[in-house]
Amino acid sequence: MLDETTTTAPLPPIRHWPALDLFGVDFDPVLAELMREGPVTRIKLPNGEGWAWLVTRYDDVRAVTNDPRFSRKLVVENDVTRLAPHFIPVDGAVGFEDPPDHTRLRRAVAPAFTTRGVERLRDRARQLLEELVDEVLTDGPPTDFTERLLGPFPLAVVCELMGVPAIDRPRMHEWTNLILSSAHGVERSQRAKEDMCAYFADLLSQPRDGDGSDGTDEESVIGLLGTAVANGEITPSEAVGLALLIQIGGEAVTNNCGNMLFILLTRPELMARLRAEPAVRPRAIDELLRYIPHRSAVGLSRIALEDVTVAGVRIRAGEPVYVSYLAANRDPDVFPDPETLDFDRSPHPHVAFGYGPHFCVGAMLARMESELLVDAFVDRFPGLRLAVPVHAVPFRRGALIRGPQSLPVTW
């Protein structure tokens, strides 16, 4: 936690944190070592300049992410050490804004992500998933769940939410994969980002019917952004940046639920319990969200605006700081026996969707999609199992977000 007691000990050594391509849901061994070394350590990632502080303890992570003395906006002006080889935030990238601009930008799209907004989409999402599952069952086993369900379903849902026509979904998927991967090079990633921005700029400039007939009704994200621009609440370039962020983030469910299903397929006793006890599924999803490795290394950094003491360590003004939500979710002071998957764990204050002002705006949507997918895995595919040996399941390489490249299954 943030305090006024400063250590007089020398600075901890700088630990180089390579970009590891890890198998399955294995916890990053470098992060595990850093957690053991202390609540606040120093790291250097494969790209960018210099070093950064890393905060791993649950209470400290929540304190830093909720403290206005740590700025996201300042990161844009500094070449902070980072995992991604490419770092070119677009205007309106809400992840790199501080209040009040951060608050203004989120307000523009907030109605789409309220309980009402998400529930409005639930029936349509369930219909989309049932259609995909029916096709898979008709074709019969074996199949690749990443290709047939885990990829198409979240893509379809986020495109419905955004107001992106179905014909354009394949392009959105390709651009997202290029933006979120370092495996194809910086130039292709940047080109994909530019292409997606140009697409949304064009979509936002088109007149909308307002009745939903063109897929961009006023309650879609594109509709909300168009209204916000017309009212002078955000600029057109900010609207494009917000659209890009939400579209990319919408496909995180593909990897998160791929990791969840991989666990259930390799831990059949857990799958059996979800079948036998449907009431346990909401708690199980929370526990799986806590446990799965959502990403490689760490995400976005912050920069201290003034000297701040965290867990007895003085962080100076201008120094970059990362927090690890993955580490916080394994803090034994908050989650006893954190390496154990416990579907009875309660209460469940995991930080899988972040914390503070930058808490994931799409958390309720992602949760709804996860519930629908888990129900489909458990209820509609009796006897579901891997179609290949466990270690033959390929996982994404060179990716910022972890998950199975494909998930061959049979039933």
Side-chain angles (χ1 to χ4, degrees):
M1 297 176 61
L2 307 190
D3 58 57
E4 298 305 319
T5 305
T6 307
T7 182
T8 57
L11 291 175
I14 299 172
R15 290 291 307 273
H16 288 261
W17 194 350
L20 301 175
D21 285 319
L22 299 169
F23 175 76
V25 295
D26 292 349
F27 195 73
D28 190 322
V30 178
L31 180 55
E33 290 176 12
L34 290 164
M35 291 168 64
R36 288 191 293 268
E37 289 175 11
V40 184
T41 54
R42 292 198 298 165
I43 59 170
K44 181 173 178 57
L45 294 159
N47 296 287
E49 298 295 329
W51 56 270
W53 294 102
L54 174 68
V55 177
T56 55
R57 196 166 59 186
Y58 182 89
D59 287 343
D60 300 327
V61 165
R62 299 213 309 178
V64 168
T65 54
N66 210 29
D67 191 323
R69 293 176 294 178
F70 293 98
S71 169
R72 277 278 183 82
K73 189 173 183 66
L74 204 56
V75 174
V76 178
E77 305 169 12
N78 293 270
D79 190 14
V80 176
T81 185
R82 63 185 184 274
L83 180 64
H86 44 279
F87 181 76
I88 311 173
V90 297
D91 192 19
V94 68
F96 291 99
E97 290 289 353
D98 299 325
D101 283 337
H102 174 265
T103 308
R104 173 177 59 85
L105 291 170
R106 282 182 67 124
R107 187 184 299 124
V109 296
F113 297 99
T114 61
T115 301
R116 175 184 173 275
V118 171
E119 287 304 313
R120 170 178 170 266
L121 192 59
R122 183 182 289 269
D123 287 343
R124 176 58 178 151
R126 182 181 287 109
Q127 178 188 355
L128 288 167
L129 181 57
E130 287 178 353
E131 291 171 358
L132 290 168
V133 170
D134 287 344
E135 291 174 3
V136 170
L137 290 171
T138 298
D139 292 343
T143 195
D144 176 4
F145 260 11
T146 299
E147 178 184 359
R148 300 295 301 273
L149 293 179
L150 293 166
F153 174 61
L155 176 63
V157 171
V158 73
C159 285
E160 288 274 336
L161 178 80
M162 294 294 295
V164 170
I167 194 172
D168 293 329
R169 290 176 191 168
R171 279 197 290 174
M172 286 291 156
H173 182 60
E174 180 182 2
W175 287 334
T176 296
N177 281 341
L178 288 170
I179 292 168
L180 290 178
S181 175
S182 62
H184 303 284
V186 177
E187 290 185 6
R188 287 195 67 190
S189 178
Q190 175 59 16
R191 188 163 61 250
K193 185 182 293 186
E194 292 170 354
D195 288 344
M196 188 182 282
C197 285
Y199 174 90
F200 281 124
D202 179 67
L203 191 61
L204 282 160
S205 70
Q206 295 175 12
R208 287 176 295 281
D209 297 338
D211 61 0
S213 62
D214 63 346
T216 54
D217 65 279
E218 294 307 305
E219 291 188 281
S220 71
V221 169
I222 294 299
L224 292 169
L225 290 174
T227 299
V229 170
N231 293 340
E233 297 164 1
I234 63 175
T235 67
S237 60
E238 287 174 336
V240 169
L242 270 167
L244 179 140
L245 178 73
I246 294 168
Q247 181 70 43
I248 292 173
E251 292 200 53
V253 174
T254 295
N255 295 298
N256 287 344
C257 285
N259 286 326
M260 290 183 192
L261 182 54
F262 178 78
I263 288 173
L264 295 176
L265 290 169
T266 54
R267 298 278 301 275
E269 73 281 6
L270 298 180
M271 179 78 87
R273 186 173 181 197
L274 296 185
R275 285 200 173 98
E277 302 176 49
V280 84
R281 292 178 194 176
R283 290 201 311 272
I285 289 173
D286 273 322
E287 177 68 346
L288 289 165
L289 285 168
R290 177 194 73 84
Y291 187 88
I292 63 174
H294 296 259
R295 61 168 304 109
S296 299
V298 283
L300 304 181
S301 62
R302 293 165 172 80
I303 290 182
L305 297 174
E306 59 185 75
D307 289 4
V308 185
T309 299
V310 180
V313 176
R314 177 65 75 182
I315 296 174
R316 304 290 181 182
E319 292 178 341
V321 181
Y322 281 98
V323 301
S324 173
Y325 294 120
L326 299 184
N329 280 338
R330 301 288 181 108
D331 186 335
D333 290 338
V334 180
F335 305 101
D337 196 12
E339 305 307 316
T340 297
L341 270 163
D342 180 4
F343 287 173
D344 294 313
R345 198 184 294 276
S346 182
H348 213 306
H350 67 75
V351 286
F353 294 116
Y355 192 77
H358 288 278
F359 179 82
C360 176
V361 68
M364 281 195 290
L365 177 67
R367 176 67 190 240
M368 180 265 284
E369 292 177 78
S370 299
E371 290 171 355
L372 293 176
L373 278 166
V374 167
D375 284 346
F377 299 151
V378 173
D379 295 333
R380 300 207 60 189
F381 294 93
L384 186 65
R385 60 193 184 277
L386 286 174
V388 297
V390 171
H391 284 279
V393 176
F395 276 74
R396 300 184 189 277
R397 302 182 65 82
L400 305 182
I401 308 300
R402 290 180 60 181
Q405 184 72 40
S406 65
L407 202 51
V409 296
T410 189
W411 58 91

